Tab-separated table of all heavy atoms in Angstrom:
chain	number	residue	atom	x	y	z
I	1	GLY	N	72.081	-77.514	47.338
I	1	GLY	CA	73.352	-78.076	46.897
I	1	GLY	C	73.220	-78.892	45.637
I	1	GLY	O	74.178	-79.096	44.915
I	2	CYS	N	72.032	-79.381	45.320
I	2	CYS	CA	71.819	-80.224	44.147
I	2	CYS	C	71.287	-79.458	42.961
I	2	CYS	O	71.063	-80.022	41.911
I	2	CYS	CB	70.848	-81.360	44.491
I	2	CYS	SG	71.542	-82.508	45.696
I	3	SER	N	71.026	-78.171	43.125
I	3	SER	CA	70.498	-77.387	42.006
I	3	SER	C	71.566	-77.259	40.944
I	3	SER	O	72.726	-77.023	41.260
I	3	SER	CB	70.107	-75.975	42.439
I	3	SER	OG	69.412	-75.987	43.632
I	4	PRO	N	71.169	-77.403	39.678
I	4	PRO	CA	72.163	-77.254	38.625
I	4	PRO	C	72.665	-75.818	38.571
I	4	PRO	O	71.911	-74.882	38.789
I	4	PRO	CB	71.405	-77.621	37.351
I	4	PRO	CG	69.967	-77.516	37.678
I	4	PRO	CD	69.846	-77.697	39.162
I	5	ALA	N	73.959	-75.667	38.292
I	5	ALA	CA	74.530	-74.330	38.165
I	5	ALA	C	73.932	-73.659	36.934
I	5	ALA	O	73.702	-74.295	35.915
I	5	ALA	CB	76.042	-74.424	38.020
I	6	LYS	N	73.698	-72.366	37.055
I	6	LYS	CA	73.158	-71.626	35.925
I	6	LYS	C	74.221	-71.515	34.854
I	6	LYS	O	75.347	-71.125	35.120
I	6	LYS	CB	72.741	-70.227	36.371
I	6	LYS	CG	71.277	-69.994	36.298
I	6	LYS	CD	70.962	-68.553	36.556
I	6	LYS	CE	69.492	-68.363	36.363
I	6	LYS	NZ	69.075	-67.009	36.619
I	7	GLU	N	73.855	-71.888	33.640
I	7	GLU	CA	74.789	-71.845	32.529
I	7	GLU	C	74.758	-70.451	31.909
I	7	GLU	O	73.706	-69.865	31.737
I	7	GLU	CB	74.389	-72.890	31.495
I	7	GLU	CG	75.487	-73.201	30.526
I	7	GLU	CD	75.161	-74.407	29.676
I	7	GLU	OE1	74.490	-74.233	28.654
I	7	GLU	OE2	75.580	-75.515	30.048
I	8	GLU	N	75.948	-69.945	31.581
I	8	GLU	CA	76.055	-68.654	30.926
I	8	GLU	C	75.351	-68.726	29.567
I	8	GLU	O	75.427	-69.723	28.877
I	8	GLU	CB	77.534	-68.344	30.738
I	8	GLU	CG	77.810	-66.952	30.286
I	8	GLU	CD	79.311	-66.712	30.125
I	8	GLU	OE1	80.112	-67.509	30.628
I	8	GLU	OE2	79.647	-65.725	29.470
I	9	LYS	N	74.666	-67.676	29.189
I	9	LYS	CA	73.932	-67.642	27.915
I	9	LYS	C	74.855	-67.216	26.785
I	9	LYS	O	75.736	-66.394	26.959
I	9	LYS	CB	72.759	-66.651	27.996
I	9	LYS	CG	71.715	-67.027	29.022
I	9	LYS	CD	70.833	-68.093	28.484
I	9	LYS	CE	69.697	-68.344	29.469
I	9	LYS	NZ	69.018	-69.536	29.296
I	10	ARG	N	74.597	-67.786	25.611
I	10	ARG	CA	75.326	-67.379	24.414
I	10	ARG	C	74.638	-66.172	23.797
I	10	ARG	O	73.423	-66.141	23.663
I	10	ARG	CB	75.284	-68.491	23.370
I	10	ARG	CG	76.184	-69.636	23.666
I	10	ARG	CD	76.170	-70.580	22.459
I	10	ARG	NE	77.017	-71.709	22.726
I	10	ARG	CZ	76.628	-72.972	22.629
I	10	ARG	NH1	75.412	-73.266	22.239
I	10	ARG	NH2	77.465	-73.946	22.903
I	11	ALA	N	75.431	-65.231	23.364
I	11	ALA	CA	74.897	-64.088	22.634
I	11	ALA	C	75.145	-64.269	21.138
I	11	ALA	O	74.738	-63.445	20.339
I	11	ALA	CB	75.537	-62.794	23.122
I	12	PHE	N	75.814	-65.361	20.755
I	12	PHE	CA	76.096	-65.614	19.348
I	12	PHE	C	75.256	-66.774	18.842
I	12	PHE	O	74.812	-67.618	19.605
I	12	PHE	CB	77.586	-65.906	19.119
I	12	PHE	CG	78.100	-67.166	19.774
I	12	PHE	CD1	77.995	-68.405	19.145
I	12	PHE	CD2	78.716	-67.116	21.011
I	12	PHE	CE1	78.474	-69.556	19.744
I	12	PHE	CE2	79.211	-68.262	21.617
I	12	PHE	CZ	79.086	-69.480	20.982
I	13	GLU	N	75.057	-66.766	17.529
I	13	GLU	CA	74.353	-67.874	16.884
I	13	GLU	C	75.385	-68.922	16.497
I	13	GLU	O	76.421	-68.606	15.909
I	13	GLU	CB	73.622	-67.370	15.635
I	13	GLU	CG	72.761	-68.421	14.992
I	13	GLU	CD	71.958	-67.862	13.829
I	13	GLU	OE1	71.542	-66.690	13.899
I	13	GLU	OE2	71.770	-68.604	12.855
I	14	VAL	N	75.127	-70.179	16.850
I	14	VAL	CA	76.054	-71.260	16.536
I	14	VAL	C	76.066	-71.446	15.026
I	14	VAL	O	75.009	-71.566	14.396
I	14	VAL	CB	75.645	-72.566	17.250
I	14	VAL	CG1	76.544	-73.718	16.837
I	14	VAL	CG2	75.695	-72.370	18.766
I	15	PRO	N	77.247	-71.471	14.407
I	15	PRO	CA	77.319	-71.611	12.946
I	15	PRO	C	76.863	-72.997	12.478
I	15	PRO	O	76.859	-73.955	13.253
I	15	PRO	CB	78.804	-71.402	12.637
I	15	PRO	CG	79.523	-71.637	13.913
I	15	PRO	CD	78.558	-71.362	15.025
I	16	ASP	N	76.478	-73.077	11.213
I	16	ASP	CA	76.071	-74.361	10.635
I	16	ASP	C	77.105	-74.850	9.618
I	16	ASP	O	76.806	-75.638	8.731
I	16	ASP	CB	74.679	-74.277	10.010
I	16	ASP	CG	74.595	-73.241	8.909
I	16	ASP	OD1	75.619	-72.589	8.611
I	16	ASP	OD2	73.501	-73.080	8.354
I	17	SER	N	78.341	-74.361	9.787
I	17	SER	CA	79.440	-74.830	8.943
I	17	SER	C	80.753	-74.582	9.669
I	17	SER	O	80.828	-73.774	10.598
I	17	SER	CB	79.442	-74.113	7.596
I	17	SER	OG	79.896	-72.793	7.741
I	18	LEU	N	81.766	-75.293	9.226
I	18	LEU	CA	83.127	-75.060	9.691
I	18	LEU	C	83.891	-74.507	8.503
I	18	LEU	O	84.296	-75.253	7.605
I	18	LEU	CB	83.758	-76.357	10.205
I	18	LEU	CG	83.166	-76.901	11.502
I	18	LEU	CD1	83.686	-78.296	11.807
I	18	LEU	CD2	83.474	-75.950	12.651
I	19	CYS	N	83.992	-73.186	8.440
I	19	CYS	CA	84.681	-72.486	7.349
I	19	CYS	C	84.154	-72.910	5.984
I	19	CYS	O	84.915	-73.212	5.067
I	19	CYS	CB	86.185	-72.674	7.449
I	19	CYS	SG	86.890	-71.950	8.945
I	20	GLY	N	82.845	-72.991	5.854
I	20	GLY	CA	82.222	-73.318	4.579
I	20	GLY	C	81.851	-74.776	4.399
I	20	GLY	O	81.135	-75.115	3.470
I	21	THR	N	82.323	-75.657	5.267
I	21	THR	CA	81.951	-77.067	5.187
I	21	THR	C	80.752	-77.283	6.109
I	21	THR	O	80.884	-77.125	7.318
I	21	THR	CB	83.124	-77.978	5.621
I	21	THR	OG1	84.263	-77.681	4.795
I	21	THR	CG2	82.765	-79.437	5.488
I	22	PRO	N	79.590	-77.609	5.559
I	22	PRO	CA	78.369	-77.706	6.367
I	22	PRO	C	78.459	-78.773	7.466
I	22	PRO	O	78.950	-79.879	7.230
I	22	PRO	CB	77.287	-78.101	5.358
I	22	PRO	CG	77.859	-77.807	4.018
I	22	PRO	CD	79.342	-77.911	4.151
I	23	VAL	N	78.014	-78.403	8.663
I	23	VAL	CA	77.848	-79.339	9.782
I	23	VAL	C	76.617	-78.881	10.557
I	23	VAL	O	76.323	-77.689	10.600
I	23	VAL	CB	79.074	-79.395	10.722
I	23	VAL	CG1	80.267	-80.023	10.049
I	23	VAL	CG2	79.418	-78.043	11.270
I	24	PRO	N	75.877	-79.799	11.163
I	24	PRO	CA	74.687	-79.396	11.926
I	24	PRO	C	75.050	-78.496	13.109
I	24	PRO	O	75.905	-78.841	13.925
I	24	PRO	CB	74.108	-80.725	12.394
I	24	PRO	CG	74.656	-81.759	11.456
I	24	PRO	CD	76.024	-81.257	11.092
I	25	ALA	N	74.395	-77.341	13.198
I	25	ALA	CA	74.636	-76.397	14.299
I	25	ALA	C	74.370	-77.048	15.650
I	25	ALA	O	75.069	-76.766	16.620
I	25	ALA	CB	73.762	-75.157	14.121
I	26	GLU	N	73.397	-77.952	15.701
I	26	GLU	CA	73.084	-78.590	16.987
I	26	GLU	C	74.236	-79.466	17.488
I	26	GLU	O	74.413	-79.631	18.692
I	26	GLU	CB	71.772	-79.385	16.937
I	26	GLU	CG	71.724	-80.512	15.940
I	26	GLU	CD	71.217	-80.106	14.549
I	26	GLU	OE1	71.118	-78.897	14.255
I	26	GLU	OE2	70.942	-81.011	13.752
I	27	LEU	N	75.054	-80.001	16.579
I	27	LEU	CA	76.218	-80.776	17.003
I	27	LEU	C	77.344	-79.853	17.475
I	27	LEU	O	78.002	-80.128	18.474
I	27	LEU	CB	76.720	-81.678	15.873
I	27	LEU	CG	75.790	-82.817	15.466
I	27	LEU	CD1	76.392	-83.618	14.317
I	27	LEU	CD2	75.469	-83.720	16.643
I	28	LEU	N	77.575	-78.764	16.754
I	28	LEU	CA	78.583	-77.788	17.181
I	28	LEU	C	78.208	-77.165	18.519
I	28	LEU	O	79.068	-76.922	19.365
I	28	LEU	CB	78.739	-76.682	16.137
I	28	LEU	CG	79.646	-76.973	14.968
I	28	LEU	CD1	79.619	-75.818	13.977
I	28	LEU	CD2	81.054	-77.255	15.413
I	29	SER	N	76.931	-76.941	18.714
I	29	SER	CA	76.448	-76.323	19.944
I	29	SER	C	76.858	-77.112	21.181
I	29	SER	O	77.134	-76.541	22.232
I	29	SER	CB	74.927	-76.196	19.889
I	29	SER	OG	74.441	-75.622	21.073
I	30	LEU	N	76.932	-78.425	21.055
I	30	LEU	CA	77.257	-79.277	22.194
I	30	LEU	C	78.716	-79.185	22.627
I	30	LEU	O	79.047	-79.502	23.769
I	30	LEU	CB	76.912	-80.730	21.872
I	30	LEU	CG	75.429	-81.019	21.633
I	30	LEU	CD1	75.237	-82.442	21.137
I	30	LEU	CD2	74.627	-80.763	22.896
I	31	VAL	N	79.607	-78.758	21.734
I	31	VAL	CA	81.028	-78.707	22.079
I	31	VAL	C	81.590	-77.291	22.190
I	31	VAL	O	82.643	-77.097	22.789
I	31	VAL	CB	81.887	-79.542	21.101
I	31	VAL	CG1	81.520	-81.005	21.181
I	31	VAL	CG2	81.804	-79.035	19.687
I	32	LEU	N	80.894	-76.296	21.630
I	32	LEU	CA	81.366	-74.915	21.765
I	32	LEU	C	81.083	-74.416	23.184
I	32	LEU	O	80.218	-74.950	23.870
I	32	LEU	CB	80.681	-74.013	20.740
I	32	LEU	CG	81.115	-74.204	19.291
I	32	LEU	CD1	80.331	-73.279	18.374
I	32	LEU	CD2	82.610	-73.976	19.121
I	33	PRO	N	81.807	-73.387	23.633
I	33	PRO	CA	81.572	-72.854	24.975
I	33	PRO	C	80.100	-72.495	25.185
I	33	PRO	O	79.406	-72.093	24.251
I	33	PRO	CB	82.448	-71.605	25.013
I	33	PRO	CG	83.538	-71.884	24.029
I	33	PRO	CD	82.876	-72.680	22.941
I	34	ALA	N	79.653	-72.651	26.419
I	34	ALA	CA	78.250	-72.414	26.755
I	34	ALA	C	77.876	-70.937	26.709
I	34	ALA	O	76.720	-70.588	26.518
I	34	ALA	CB	77.945	-72.971	28.146
I	35	GLY	N	78.845	-70.057	26.895
I	35	GLY	CA	78.570	-68.629	26.883
I	35	GLY	C	79.460	-67.921	25.890
I	35	GLY	O	80.306	-68.515	25.241
I	36	GLY	N	79.261	-66.627	25.777
I	36	GLY	CA	80.086	-65.821	24.892
I	36	GLY	C	79.257	-64.847	24.099
I	36	GLY	O	78.042	-65.009	23.960
I	37	ALA	N	79.924	-63.829	23.580
I	37	ALA	CA	79.226	-62.782	22.847
I	37	ALA	C	79.317	-62.929	21.332
I	37	ALA	O	78.384	-62.600	20.632
I	37	ALA	CB	79.771	-61.410	23.258
I	38	ARG	N	80.469	-63.412	20.839
I	38	ARG	CA	80.595	-63.514	19.382
I	38	ARG	C	81.446	-64.714	18.989
I	38	ARG	O	82.347	-65.127	19.704
I	38	ARG	CB	81.167	-62.228	18.803
I	38	ARG	CG	82.546	-61.897	19.245
I	38	ARG	CD	83.023	-60.544	18.686
I	38	ARG	NE	84.204	-60.139	19.402
I	38	ARG	CZ	85.418	-60.640	19.211
I	38	ARG	NH1	85.615	-61.556	18.299
I	38	ARG	NH2	86.450	-60.233	19.930
I	39	VAL	N	81.121	-65.244	17.829
I	39	VAL	CA	81.851	-66.380	17.277
I	39	VAL	C	82.427	-65.964	15.931
I	39	VAL	O	81.817	-65.171	15.206
I	39	VAL	CB	80.935	-67.628	17.146
I	39	VAL	CG1	79.840	-67.401	16.131
I	39	VAL	CG2	81.734	-68.869	16.810
I	40	ALA	N	83.612	-66.458	15.631
I	40	ALA	CA	84.257	-66.161	14.354
I	40	ALA	C	84.978	-67.417	13.882
I	40	ALA	O	85.407	-68.239	14.685
I	40	ALA	CB	85.255	-65.013	14.510
I	41	ALA	N	85.081	-67.558	12.569
I	41	ALA	CA	85.803	-68.696	11.992
I	41	ALA	C	86.826	-68.167	10.999
I	41	ALA	O	86.536	-67.270	10.213
I	41	ALA	CB	84.841	-69.648	11.309
I	42	GLU	N	88.017	-68.719	11.071
I	42	GLU	CA	89.092	-68.311	10.179
I	42	GLU	C	89.602	-69.534	9.420
I	42	GLU	O	89.916	-70.556	10.018
I	42	GLU	CB	90.234	-67.706	10.989
I	42	GLU	CG	91.347	-67.147	10.143
I	42	GLU	CD	92.436	-66.521	11.012
I	42	GLU	OE1	92.107	-65.834	11.989
I	42	GLU	OE2	93.624	-66.743	10.684
I	43	ARG	N	89.647	-69.403	8.104
I	43	ARG	CA	90.082	-70.508	7.235
I	43	ARG	C	91.465	-70.221	6.684
I	43	ARG	O	91.784	-69.090	6.312
I	43	ARG	CB	89.084	-70.657	6.089
I	43	ARG	CG	89.484	-71.687	5.069
I	43	ARG	CD	88.471	-71.770	3.969
I	43	ARG	NE	88.991	-72.555	2.871
I	43	ARG	CZ	88.246	-73.069	1.923
I	43	ARG	NH1	86.939	-72.877	1.937
I	43	ARG	NH2	88.779	-73.769	0.954
I	44	GLU	N	92.270	-71.277	6.619
I	44	GLU	CA	93.591	-71.168	6.010
I	44	GLU	C	93.793	-72.391	5.121
I	44	GLU	O	93.626	-73.524	5.568
I	44	GLU	CB	94.669	-71.123	7.089
I	44	GLU	CG	96.061	-70.978	6.536
I	44	GLU	CD	97.127	-70.954	7.618
I	44	GLU	OE1	96.820	-71.160	8.798
I	44	GLU	OE2	98.291	-70.737	7.246
I	45	ASP	N	94.120	-72.155	3.862
I	45	ASP	CA	94.438	-73.229	2.921
I	45	ASP	C	95.953	-73.257	2.759
I	45	ASP	O	96.559	-72.242	2.436
I	45	ASP	CB	93.776	-72.989	1.567
I	45	ASP	CG	92.258	-73.017	1.661
I	45	ASP	OD1	91.734	-73.838	2.427
I	45	ASP	OD2	91.606	-72.214	0.978
């Protein structure tokens, strides 16, 4: 009952920018979903 739940694996690489503005991937990694197959970013000015 105390074993940690297995976290889904990511199949995508965490980006190191937000639509061209650099940010550390390790910080984005902490807030993006734990699993998934692909990541995409869309910019609008």
Side-chain angles (χ1 to χ4, degrees):
C2 294
S3 316
K6 246 188 176 179
E7 197 170 85
E8 190 180 345
K9 297 281 186 197
R10 285 187 181 126
F12 64 86
E13 186 175 325
V14 175
D16 59 1
S17 74
L18 291 170
C19 296
T21 303
V23 291
E26 60 270 13
L27 293 179
L28 277 176
S29 179
L30 296 172
V31 297
L32 288 178
R38 63 183 166 77
V39 66
E42 185 178 318
R43 175 181 168 163
E44 181 181 6
D45 296 322

